[in-house]
mmCIF file of all heavy atoms in Angstrom:
data_model
loop_
_atom_site.group_PDB
_atom_site.id
_atom_site.type_symbol
_atom_site.label_atom_id
_atom_site.label_comp_id
_atom_site.label_asym_id
_atom_site.label_seq_id
_atom_site.Cartn_x
_atom_site.Cartn_y
_atom_site.Cartn_z
ATOM 1 N N SER A 1166 141.368 108.131 31.888
ATOM 2 C CA SER A 1166 140.477 109.359 31.876
ATOM 3 C C SER A 1166 139.018 109.142 31.701
ATOM 4 O O SER A 1166 138.246 109.892 32.099
ATOM 5 C CB SER A 1166 141.114 110.338 30.925
ATOM 6 O OG SER A 1166 141.028 109.916 29.606
ATOM 7 N N ASP A 1167 138.730 108.126 30.908
ATOM 8 C CA ASP A 1167 137.387 107.779 30.578
ATOM 9 C C ASP A 1167 136.851 106.670 31.429
ATOM 10 O O ASP A 1167 136.044 105.894 31.087
ATOM 11 C CB ASP A 1167 137.147 107.458 29.093
ATOM 12 C CG ASP A 1167 137.960 106.298 28.635
ATOM 13 O OD1 ASP A 1167 138.766 105.721 29.357
ATOM 14 O OD2 ASP A 1167 137.721 105.853 27.427
ATOM 15 N N ASN A 1168 137.566 106.326 32.615
ATOM 16 C CA ASN A 1168 137.279 105.237 33.446
ATOM 17 C C ASN A 1168 137.480 103.970 32.722
ATOM 18 O O ASN A 1168 138.450 103.608 32.178
ATOM 19 C CB ASN A 1168 135.837 105.338 34.031
ATOM 20 C CG ASN A 1168 135.771 104.785 35.438
ATOM 21 O OD1 ASN A 1168 135.842 103.572 35.575
ATOM 22 N ND2 ASN A 1168 135.507 105.556 36.395
ATOM 23 N N LEU A 1169 136.445 103.073 32.518
ATOM 24 C CA LEU A 1169 136.561 101.852 31.759
ATOM 25 C C LEU A 1169 135.629 101.827 30.475
ATOM 26 O O LEU A 1169 135.359 100.842 29.917
ATOM 27 C CB LEU A 1169 136.095 100.649 32.660
ATOM 28 C CG LEU A 1169 137.019 100.452 33.916
ATOM 29 C CD1 LEU A 1169 136.406 99.257 34.682
ATOM 30 C CD2 LEU A 1169 138.437 100.116 33.480
ATOM 31 N N MET A 1170 135.411 103.071 30.066
ATOM 32 C CA MET A 1170 134.483 103.129 28.782
ATOM 33 C C MET A 1170 135.249 102.519 27.587
ATOM 34 O O MET A 1170 134.658 102.018 26.660
ATOM 35 C CB MET A 1170 134.180 104.575 28.499
ATOM 36 C CG MET A 1170 133.189 105.156 29.532
ATOM 37 S SD MET A 1170 132.801 106.929 29.289
ATOM 38 C CE MET A 1170 131.978 106.809 27.725
ATOM 39 N N GLY A 1171 136.604 102.578 27.578
ATOM 40 C CA GLY A 1171 137.349 101.922 26.503
ATOM 41 C C GLY A 1171 137.235 100.444 26.440
ATOM 42 O O GLY A 1171 137.630 99.811 25.484
ATOM 43 N N TYR A 1172 136.871 99.832 27.538
ATOM 44 C CA TYR A 1172 136.700 98.387 27.625
ATOM 45 C C TYR A 1172 135.220 97.932 27.727
ATOM 46 O O TYR A 1172 134.956 96.824 28.199
ATOM 47 C CB TYR A 1172 137.388 97.926 28.838
ATOM 48 C CG TYR A 1172 138.892 98.152 28.912
ATOM 49 C CD1 TYR A 1172 139.474 99.253 29.430
ATOM 50 C CD2 TYR A 1172 139.753 97.117 28.278
ATOM 51 C CE1 TYR A 1172 140.808 99.484 29.408
ATOM 52 C CE2 TYR A 1172 141.188 97.536 28.232
ATOM 53 C CZ TYR A 1172 141.663 98.647 28.773
ATOM 54 O OH TYR A 1172 142.928 98.821 28.746
ATOM 55 N N ARG A 1173 134.319 98.840 27.152
ATOM 56 C CA ARG A 1173 132.939 98.529 27.216
ATOM 57 C C ARG A 1173 132.509 97.227 26.627
ATOM 58 O O ARG A 1173 131.640 96.521 27.175
ATOM 59 C CB ARG A 1173 132.147 99.690 26.553
ATOM 60 C CG ARG A 1173 130.651 99.572 26.529
ATOM 61 C CD ARG A 1173 130.048 100.745 25.928
ATOM 62 N NE ARG A 1173 130.683 101.085 24.602
ATOM 63 C CZ ARG A 1173 130.926 102.283 24.092
ATOM 64 N NH1 ARG A 1173 130.522 103.361 24.833
ATOM 65 N NH2 ARG A 1173 131.409 102.427 22.893
ATOM 66 N N GLY A 1174 133.213 96.787 25.570
ATOM 67 C CA GLY A 1174 132.831 95.567 24.917
ATOM 68 C C GLY A 1174 133.747 94.350 25.183
ATOM 69 O O GLY A 1174 133.587 93.297 24.643
ATOM 70 N N ASP A 1175 134.675 94.579 26.064
ATOM 71 C CA ASP A 1175 135.669 93.562 26.431
ATOM 72 C C ASP A 1175 135.016 92.574 27.553
ATOM 73 O O ASP A 1175 134.825 93.044 28.676
ATOM 74 C CB ASP A 1175 136.878 94.157 27.004
ATOM 75 C CG ASP A 1175 138.048 93.229 27.084
ATOM 76 O OD1 ASP A 1175 137.870 92.154 27.714
ATOM 77 O OD2 ASP A 1175 139.140 93.455 26.550
ATOM 78 N N LEU A 1176 134.706 91.404 27.151
ATOM 79 C CA LEU A 1176 134.004 90.473 28.027
ATOM 80 C C LEU A 1176 134.847 90.084 29.211
ATOM 81 O O LEU A 1176 134.367 90.033 30.324
ATOM 82 C CB LEU A 1176 133.586 89.268 27.211
ATOM 83 C CG LEU A 1176 132.738 88.146 28.019
ATOM 84 C CD1 LEU A 1176 131.461 88.781 28.341
ATOM 85 C CD2 LEU A 1176 132.624 86.885 27.162
ATOM 86 N N THR A 1177 136.205 89.884 28.998
ATOM 87 C CA THR A 1177 137.010 89.505 30.117
ATOM 88 C C THR A 1177 137.071 90.596 31.145
ATOM 89 O O THR A 1177 136.926 90.297 32.332
ATOM 90 C CB THR A 1177 138.479 89.178 29.587
ATOM 91 O OG1 THR A 1177 138.387 88.139 28.619
ATOM 92 C CG2 THR A 1177 139.421 88.804 30.761
ATOM 93 N N VAL A 1178 137.440 91.764 30.708
ATOM 94 C CA VAL A 1178 137.577 93.007 31.709
ATOM 95 C C VAL A 1178 136.211 93.159 32.430
ATOM 96 O O VAL A 1178 136.228 93.276 33.685
ATOM 97 C CB VAL A 1178 137.927 94.247 30.918
ATOM 98 C CG1 VAL A 1178 137.830 95.441 31.865
ATOM 99 C CG2 VAL A 1178 139.306 94.031 30.364
ATOM 100 N N ASN A 1179 135.028 93.125 31.694
ATOM 101 C CA ASN A 1179 133.796 93.301 32.338
ATOM 102 C C ASN A 1179 133.463 92.242 33.432
ATOM 103 O O ASN A 1179 133.042 92.610 34.467
ATOM 104 C CB ASN A 1179 132.718 93.392 31.336
ATOM 105 C CG ASN A 1179 132.569 94.762 30.665
ATOM 106 O OD1 ASN A 1179 131.750 95.594 31.015
ATOM 107 N ND2 ASN A 1179 133.475 95.039 29.631
ATOM 108 N N LEU A 1180 133.663 90.977 33.035
ATOM 109 C CA LEU A 1180 133.270 89.951 34.015
ATOM 110 C C LEU A 1180 134.255 89.900 35.126
ATOM 111 O O LEU A 1180 133.786 89.705 36.283
ATOM 112 C CB LEU A 1180 133.403 88.635 33.224
ATOM 113 C CG LEU A 1180 132.199 88.377 32.213
ATOM 114 C CD1 LEU A 1180 132.313 86.985 31.605
ATOM 115 C CD2 LEU A 1180 130.846 88.629 32.836
ATOM 116 N N VAL A 1181 135.568 90.133 34.920
ATOM 117 C CA VAL A 1181 136.517 90.115 36.013
ATOM 118 C C VAL A 1181 136.205 91.198 37.068
ATOM 119 O O VAL A 1181 136.157 91.026 38.242
ATOM 120 C CB VAL A 1181 137.956 90.229 35.527
ATOM 121 C CG1 VAL A 1181 138.916 90.539 36.672
ATOM 122 C CG2 VAL A 1181 138.325 88.952 34.821
ATOM 123 N N ILE A 1182 136.028 92.455 36.448
ATOM 124 C CA ILE A 1182 135.708 93.579 37.317
ATOM 125 C C ILE A 1182 134.417 93.402 38.146
ATOM 126 O O ILE A 1182 134.357 93.686 39.365
ATOM 127 C CB ILE A 1182 135.733 94.903 36.443
ATOM 128 C CG1 ILE A 1182 137.133 95.228 35.989
ATOM 129 C CG2 ILE A 1182 135.297 96.116 37.293
ATOM 130 C CD1 ILE A 1182 138.241 95.512 36.941
ATOM 131 N N THR A 1183 133.330 93.112 37.382
ATOM 132 C CA THR A 1183 132.122 92.931 38.084
ATOM 133 C C THR A 1183 132.098 91.812 39.127
ATOM 134 O O THR A 1183 131.447 92.003 40.141
ATOM 135 C CB THR A 1183 130.972 92.692 37.020
ATOM 136 O OG1 THR A 1183 131.249 91.578 36.198
ATOM 137 C CG2 THR A 1183 130.676 93.900 36.159
ATOM 138 N N THR A 1184 132.793 90.735 38.792
ATOM 139 C CA THR A 1184 132.937 89.670 39.862
ATOM 140 C C THR A 1184 133.561 90.140 41.126
ATOM 141 O O THR A 1184 133.175 89.782 42.193
ATOM 142 C CB THR A 1184 133.633 88.422 39.212
ATOM 143 O OG1 THR A 1184 132.902 87.965 38.074
ATOM 144 C CG2 THR A 1184 133.723 87.287 40.180
ATOM 145 N N LEU A 1185 134.696 90.870 40.903
ATOM 146 C CA LEU A 1185 135.437 91.424 42.066
ATOM 147 C C LEU A 1185 134.552 92.384 42.854
ATOM 148 O O LEU A 1185 134.532 92.398 44.139
ATOM 149 C CB LEU A 1185 136.667 92.078 41.567
ATOM 150 C CG LEU A 1185 137.769 91.145 41.121
ATOM 151 C CD1 LEU A 1185 138.918 91.958 40.412
ATOM 152 C CD2 LEU A 1185 138.345 90.295 42.282
ATOM 153 N N ILE A 1186 133.760 93.256 42.172
ATOM 154 C CA ILE A 1186 132.952 94.139 42.788
ATOM 155 C C ILE A 1186 131.789 93.421 43.670
ATOM 156 O O ILE A 1186 131.600 93.783 44.837
ATOM 157 C CB ILE A 1186 132.146 95.055 41.746
ATOM 158 C CG1 ILE A 1186 133.145 95.961 41.074
ATOM 159 C CG2 ILE A 1186 131.063 95.857 42.377
ATOM 160 C CD1 ILE A 1186 132.559 96.775 39.859
ATOM 161 N N ILE A 1187 131.192 92.426 43.076
ATOM 162 C CA ILE A 1187 130.157 91.702 43.726
ATOM 163 C C ILE A 1187 130.750 90.986 44.929
ATOM 164 O O ILE A 1187 130.205 90.936 46.110
ATOM 165 C CB ILE A 1187 129.485 90.709 42.793
ATOM 166 C CG1 ILE A 1187 128.720 91.452 41.644
ATOM 167 C CG2 ILE A 1187 128.459 89.798 43.560
ATOM 168 C CD1 ILE A 1187 128.265 90.596 40.518
ATOM 169 N N ALA A 1188 131.904 90.281 44.777
ATOM 170 C CA ALA A 1188 132.550 89.619 45.872
ATOM 171 C C ALA A 1188 132.834 90.575 46.971
ATOM 172 O O ALA A 1188 132.660 90.182 48.137
ATOM 173 C CB ALA A 1188 133.834 88.925 45.341
ATOM 174 N N GLY A 1189 133.443 91.673 46.810
ATOM 175 C CA GLY A 1189 133.725 92.611 47.805
ATOM 176 C C GLY A 1189 132.526 93.140 48.440
ATOM 177 O O GLY A 1189 132.521 93.401 49.647
ATOM 178 N N GLY A 1190 131.376 93.292 47.651
ATOM 179 C CA GLY A 1190 130.156 93.849 48.256
ATOM 180 C C GLY A 1190 129.435 92.843 49.046
ATOM 181 O O GLY A 1190 128.527 93.268 49.915
ATOM 182 N N LEU A 1191 129.544 91.515 48.792
ATOM 183 C CA LEU A 1191 128.768 90.493 49.503
ATOM 184 C C LEU A 1191 129.138 90.590 50.983
ATOM 185 O O LEU A 1191 128.312 90.264 51.848
ATOM 186 C CB LEU A 1191 129.106 89.103 48.993
ATOM 187 C CG LEU A 1191 128.509 88.855 47.584
ATOM 188 C CD1 LEU A 1191 128.782 87.425 47.134
ATOM 189 C CD2 LEU A 1191 126.828 88.901 47.839
ATOM 190 N N GLY A 1192 130.383 90.887 51.311
ATOM 191 C CA GLY A 1192 130.832 90.787 52.695
ATOM 192 C C GLY A 1192 131.579 89.428 53.055
ATOM 193 O O GLY A 1192 131.317 88.424 52.480
ATOM 194 N N PHE A 1193 132.605 89.661 54.000
ATOM 195 C CA PHE A 1193 133.417 88.550 54.238
ATOM 196 C C PHE A 1193 132.686 87.408 55.063
ATOM 197 O O PHE A 1193 133.044 86.267 54.816
ATOM 198 C CB PHE A 1193 134.661 89.021 55.012
ATOM 199 C CG PHE A 1193 135.487 90.042 54.228
ATOM 200 C CD1 PHE A 1193 135.437 91.330 54.596
ATOM 201 C CD2 PHE A 1193 136.352 89.562 53.231
ATOM 202 C CE1 PHE A 1193 136.175 92.242 53.898
ATOM 203 C CE2 PHE A 1193 137.106 90.478 52.529
ATOM 204 C CZ PHE A 1193 137.097 91.787 52.774
ATOM 205 N N PHE A 1194 131.731 87.739 55.779
ATOM 206 C CA PHE A 1194 130.991 86.671 56.425
ATOM 207 C C PHE A 1194 130.169 85.809 55.434
ATOM 208 O O PHE A 1194 130.270 84.602 55.547
ATOM 209 C CB PHE A 1194 129.993 87.271 57.432
ATOM 210 C CG PHE A 1194 129.024 86.317 58.120
ATOM 211 C CD1 PHE A 1194 129.557 85.563 59.216
ATOM 212 C CD2 PHE A 1194 127.817 86.049 57.607
ATOM 213 C CE1 PHE A 1194 128.750 84.690 59.811
ATOM 214 C CE2 PHE A 1194 126.952 84.950 58.260
ATOM 215 C CZ PHE A 1194 127.483 84.414 59.392
ATOM 216 N N VAL A 1195 129.645 86.498 54.416
ATOM 217 C CA VAL A 1195 128.901 85.668 53.461
ATOM 218 C C VAL A 1195 129.879 84.789 52.555
ATOM 219 O O VAL A 1195 129.513 83.740 52.208
ATOM 220 C CB VAL A 1195 128.117 86.718 52.473
ATOM 221 C CG1 VAL A 1195 127.465 85.883 51.375
ATOM 222 C CG2 VAL A 1195 127.000 87.363 53.244
#
């Protein structure tokens, strides 16, 4: 219900999620 605010300080969750976001946003050609 609070999205990922409960994991604000969790390094693993933050890095995994942001890496997946960036990878998806770069595009398959890149």
Side-chain angles (χ1 to χ4, degrees):
S1166 60
D1167 61 352
N1168 209 294
L1169 294 179
M1170 292 177 63
Y1172 296 91
R1173 181 176 52 213
D1175 192 308
L1176 184 63
T1177 302
V1178 171
N1179 277 260
L1180 292 183
V1181 169
I1182 294 296
T1183 53
T1184 300
L1185 289 171
I1186 292 170
I1187 294 169
L1191 284 176
F1193 296 104
F1194 177 81
V1195 174

